[in-house]
Amino acid sequence: MKAMAHQLFHHFLSSLLSLAALHGVAAVEFDVFHNAGSTPGGIRFDHEIGVPFAKQVMETTTNFVWKLLEENRPEDRRTDVQVVHMIVDDYTGAAAIAYGGACTINVSAVYLQEYEGNDVRWSFTSLMYHEMTHIWQWYPAGTPAGLIEGIADYTTLRANYSSPWFAKPGSGERWDEGYGPTARFLEYCDGLRPGFVAALNRKMRYEWSLNYFAELTGKPVDQLWREYKEKYGGVGGRRRGEKIRKLVEDAGNQREWLWRDEYKARSYAVRSGCQLTNG
């Protein structure tokens, strides 16, 4: 009888936690502004993705990021976010890019137009796992740009939404190279210390320090990187490394351009920032 009561209590507690998680998502709204409706990419967005699916993906990826980064309670994550915006616009550059300070994800209609294949929904979802991570991860001043992008790609990897040409284990020239190579390095660190990425993200809430790697694993990051490369036989290539570093630099430049005043005036006039507004 006591055992049954114990099981019922745990079932009840689990239900309460699930409801709390659902309530957390319900407290965040997701909106989509489609500013490229008459362009080829905009038309493809309408026909193959659509606003309802886009909002669904925004919610699904938010749930996944919260779980992965162990931001399960409202106090564990950003408390200023009432709404996350997506803007589909006709610009050339990054396929998608997030501006965390304004809770905004920009999606390129040009990318959607030029995407080859019948699985554009899959590609769109993969992009959202990456970009939604930028909305919820912590990256204080001084955080290496490559680490920021690497954590976002780590989310994509863990969600099983990494592309066939995603970086292989052991690839890259630097631990903070960015994107796939850094994601694979973080995967290695997580194997040494389960929950490493979530713990690293928590430490980064208020300030950045390279010592976090040693605090979490007992080894400085340079030693971790050396042992990681030795494990996989030094896989990597200078040309690929230079290309990825250029991508990291371009992403930063694109983010700055997308948030210039003239872009905001043209493409972001309905709502501004992370708070809900009237109207």
Side-chain angles (χ1 to χ4, degrees):
M1 193 70 176
K2 286 184 178 180
M4 182 178 294
H6 187 71
Q7 289 179 349
L8 287 172
F9 173 77
H10 277 278
H11 178 73
F12 174 71
L13 183 61
S14 177
S15 299
L16 284 178
L17 291 173
S18 297
L19 286 172
L22 288 172
H23 177 73
V25 175
V28 178
E29 291 194 14
F30 304 97
D31 56 26
V32 178
F33 302 126
H34 188 1
N35 298 340
S38 61
T39 67
I43 293 170
R44 188 175 191 185
F45 175 85
D46 284 332
H47 289 174
E48 299 184 45
I49 298 172
V51 170
F53 180 77
K55 288 185 176 182
Q56 175 188 325
V57 169
M58 292 171 78
E59 181 172 335
T60 299
T61 53
T62 290
N63 271 315
F64 187 87
V65 171
W66 285 355
K67 183 176 181 181
L68 183 67
L69 298 183
E70 297 178 5
E71 297 179 341
N72 300 309
R73 303 172 301 171
E75 57 265 33
D76 296 332
R77 53 186 181 259
R78 291 179 60 181
T79 58
D80 63 318
V81 182
Q82 295 180 349
V83 59
V84 179
H85 315 279
M86 178 187 297
I87 301 174
V88 182
D89 208 350
D90 196 49
Y91 68 87
T92 301
I97 194 163
Y99 189 91
C103 300
T104 301
I105 297 172
N106 299 267
V107 177
S108 170
V110 175
Y111 167 78
L112 296 176
Q113 172 194 349
E114 296 177 350
Y115 180 80
E116 297 180 0
N118 299 319
D119 56 347
V120 69
R121 272 194 170 198
W122 187 95
S123 178
F124 172 82
T125 302
S126 177
L127 287 172
M128 287 307 103
Y129 274 105
H130 179 102
E131 302 303 338
M132 195 60 77
T133 304
H134 289 322
I135 300 297
W136 296 107
Q137 70 183 142
W138 300 110
Y139 48 95
T143 305
L147 178 59
I148 296 170
E149 297 297 342
I151 291 174
D153 255 16
Y154 176 77
T155 300
T156 306
L157 181 65
R158 288 291 302 272
N160 292 320
Y161 268 90
S162 56
S163 66
W165 52 89
F166 195 86
K168 304 302 180 185
S171 61
E173 292 189 325
R174 293 171 50 92
W175 72 268
D176 60 348
E177 189 168 305
Y179 296 100
T182 298
R184 288 296 189 184
F185 175 60
L186 293 172
E187 180 184 45
Y188 167 78
C189 293
D190 201 75
L192 298 177
R193 198 270 197 196
F196 171 83
V197 174
L200 179 64
N201 182 66
R202 279 194 300 274
K203 283 182 172 291
M204 290 164 57
R205 182 164 188 166
Y206 301 109
E207 61 182 356
W208 160 251
S209 173
L210 199 61
N211 292 331
Y212 294 155
F213 284 86
E215 292 173 10
L216 292 171
T217 68
K219 299 178 181 180
V221 68
D222 289 341
Q223 180 181 347
L224 288 168
W225 176 254
R226 185 171 61 253
E227 293 175 357
Y228 167 69
K229 294 295 288 184
E230 289 172 355
K231 178 179 179 179
Y232 292 101
V235 177
R238 182 173 300 277
R239 182 173 298 177
R240 177 177 173 81
E242 291 173 353
K243 181 178 180 181
I244 291 175
R245 282 193 291 277
K246 183 67 164 56
L247 285 172
V248 172
E249 179 182 346
D250 289 347
N253 293 337
Q254 187 79 3
R255 183 177 290 109
E256 291 178 9
W257 181 85
L258 286 168
W259 209 245
R260 290 202 309 242
D261 287 340
E262 58 265 37
Y263 185 86
K264 285 193 291 183
R266 179 168 62 89
S267 303
Y268 197 63
V270 180
R271 284 181 177 168
S272 181
C274 302
Q275 303 296 305
L276 289 169
T277 59
N278 295 324

